[in-house]
Amino acid sequence: MLQGKHIVLGITGGIAAYKSASLTRLLVKAGAEVQVIMTPSAREFIAPLTLSTLTGKPVITEFFTANTGEWHSHVDLGLWADAMVVAPATACTIGKMAHGVADNMLVTTYLSAKAPVFVAPAMDLDMMAHPSTTANLNLLRSYGNHIIEPASGELASHLIGKGRMEEPERIVEVLREFFSSKGQFAGKRVLVTAGPTYERIDPVRFIGNFSSGKMGYAIADALADRGAEVVLVSGPVGELKPRNPRVEVRKIESALQMLDECQKVWPAADMAVMTAAVADYRVENRADSKIKREGNLAPELRLVENPDIAATLGASKKPGQLLIGFALETDNEAAHAANKLKRKNLDAIVLNSLRDAGAGFGTDTNKITILSADGSAKPYPLKTKREVAADVADFISSLLK
């Protein structure tokens, strides 16, 4: 899976830099073309000549070569790479990456990278456990970076704890697993819904909910990253945008508009993932002008049911199509989700509960359980929504198999 891949390997100034020679050798042996970028302090731990000999390429440590003035374009490197790996990643470099402190060639290349980025932290246990390190790693995760968690063991300080850079063999395996999943949904046309719907009361007021759309957008990106052509029907989500250019966004406001777009896409789709928080009701007779309070009695709003979009698609589901629903519940969660699964003719439903800390609307994390049509249920721990999206994509892949 790494044959012919372009890998930018960033090495920072930590004792674990000695492992970078083995990592470089394994990547080259696997068929990858490797370009090493070192921070200035990394040269104190491992010689550039060693890495240049292994890769067959000059190691880049500065913005330009001093004796010739040759400029090293971080933009070109960012475009060249199929993946960027920072191993070891010190607390200092992690902080710079998280906050865009572009004072060396490695961080500027990271900020220019269009490819996925893998970060393998390495530091002493107290640094690893410090709140600032935790916050910076969470920021990198929220940007879509892949964190290769460090192992526990004896550290350079001779203390025992978490902070050892993951072994080179495992880092290469992580890359292999990533690239092997890239084509899982190649040729598949996928419908994803996301965000809230707004049901207008008058030109300035509406009935809605607190959905941010983050979960649906993350799922759209995850499926597109694995080769799918995704149509994302999105309610109002502010400035939120998909990361992957293969995601086509169709903006709507109301439930009826979302239904209309879904019915255009669904007949030719291979699957749909319905994450949107669609309003159950709309105002029967919305006002054409702003309802005034002065001198008027409080208006009485007559509500009518909106169509159940997932159930509508489920009723027309053809053999071979997959339909995945989402259920946000506050009580009797499993029972309510199982009922929706059956009633809407879904193949699976992703359950999350507002009673779980860190789950639900507006957060960057979620905690889910996936219920299948065969009656099985698979719980997952609290993760970032990008990680949850990857879990959902893996689950859908298992259904296809």
Side-chain angles (χ1 to χ4, degrees), residues 8 20 36 75 116 121 136 154 183 185 198 231 257 268 281 305 316 323 330 375 393:
V8 169
S20 299
V36 173
V75 175
N136 287 333
E154 185 176 359
F185 299 105
Y198 289 172
V231 176
Q257 291 169 348
Y281 300 94
E305 274 193 76
S316 62
L323 184 58
T330 60

Side-chain angles (χ1 to χ4, degrees), residues 15 22 73 87 118 122 133 138 148 170 176 195 204-205 249 268-269 278 299 339 346 379 386:
I15 187 61
S22 295
S73 173
F118 297 81
T133 304
N138 286 336
I148 303 175
R170 176 55 189 154
R176 282 200 176 103
V204 298
R205 302 179 181 93
V249 181
V278 181
N339 177 268
L346 304 175
R386 288 187 182 275

Side-chain angles (χ1 to χ4, degrees), residues 123-133 155 157 159 161-163:
M123 63 197 76
D124 208 57
L125 74 164
D126 293 322
M127 297 174 70
M128 188 69 209
H130 196 278
S132 63
T133 304
L155 306 172
S157 62
L159 297 174
K162 184 177 180 179

Side-chain angles (χ1 to χ4, degrees), residues 15-24 46 87-88 164-168:
I15 187 61
Y18 79 89
K19 293 183 179 180
S20 299
S22 295
L23 177 57
T24 302
I46 186 170
R164 289 174 59 90
M165 187 183 97
E166 185 57 276
E167 294 303 318

Side-chain angles (χ1 to χ4, degrees), residues 26-258:
L26 290 171
L27 289 170
V28 171
K29 186 177 180 180
E33 189 175 344
V34 181
Q35 175 61 65
V36 173
I37 301 176
M38 301 176 72
T39 62
S41 60
R43 292 177 295 184
E44 302 297 324
F45 293 90
I46 186 170
L49 178 60
T50 300
L51 299 160
S52 177
T53 302
L54 290 169
T55 63
K57 292 177 176 291
V59 170
I60 298 173
T61 58
E62 303 290 351
F63 292 104
F64 59 89
T65 303
N67 58 342
T68 65
E70 178 187 1
W71 176 257
H72 303 300
S73 173
H74 54 89
V75 175
D76 288 346
L77 283 169
L79 293 172
W80 174 83
D82 292 306
M84 182 174 184
V85 182
V86 183
T90 60
C92 178
T93 292
I94 288 169
K96 289 179 179 181
M97 292 170 67
H99 297 281
V101 181
D103 65 349
N104 61 45
M105 189 65 185
L106 191 156
V107 179
T108 53
T109 301
Y110 160 72
L111 293 174
S112 300
K114 304 298 183 186
V117 178
F118 297 81
V119 181
M123 63 197 76
D124 208 57
L125 74 164
D126 293 322
M127 297 174 70
M128 188 69 209
H130 196 278
S132 63
T133 304
T134 300
N136 287 333
L137 286 171
N138 286 336
L139 267 178
L140 291 182
R141 287 188 184 94
S142 73
Y143 301 155
N145 297 294
H146 303 264
I147 308 301
I148 303 175
E149 290 290 338
S152 295
E154 185 176 359
L155 306 172
S157 62
H158 302 299
L159 297 174
I160 306 296
K162 184 177 180 179
R164 289 174 59 90
M165 187 183 97
E166 185 57 276
E167 294 303 318
E169 291 80 4
R170 176 55 189 154
I171 294 174
V172 172
E173 187 60 29
V174 168
L175 291 172
R176 282 200 176 103
E177 290 171 358
F178 174 81
F179 284 112
S180 69
S181 70
K182 291 290 284 183
Q184 281 178 339
F185 299 105
K188 300 294 184 184
R189 184 169 172 81
V190 182
L191 166 65
V192 178
T193 65
T197 63
Y198 289 172
E199 310 301 329
R200 293 196 180 204
I201 298 171
D202 62 20
V204 298
R205 302 179 181 93
F206 61 86
I207 298 171
N209 56 63
F210 298 112
S211 174
S212 66
K214 292 177 181 178
M215 191 70 257
Y217 274 67
I219 286 176
D221 277 331
L223 294 172
D225 286 346
R226 301 184 188 204
E229 295 296 328
V230 179
V231 176
L232 175 60
V233 180
S234 172
V237 292
E239 297 301 313
L240 188 62
K241 294 179 181 179
R243 176 177 42 78
N244 192 298
R246 278 200 299 274
V247 178
E248 175 194 345
V249 181
R250 299 187 185 181
K251 293 280 191 178
I252 57 87
E253 179 180 273
S254 69
L256 292 177
Q257 291 169 348
M258 179 171 281

Side-chain angles (χ1 to χ4, degrees), residues 285-300:
N285 295 306
R286 74 184 192 195
D288 294 326
S289 58
K290 180 181 176 182
I291 300 170
K292 297 291 187 180
R293 181 175 62 178
E294 295 81 5
N296 293 316
L297 296 174
E300 292 186 5

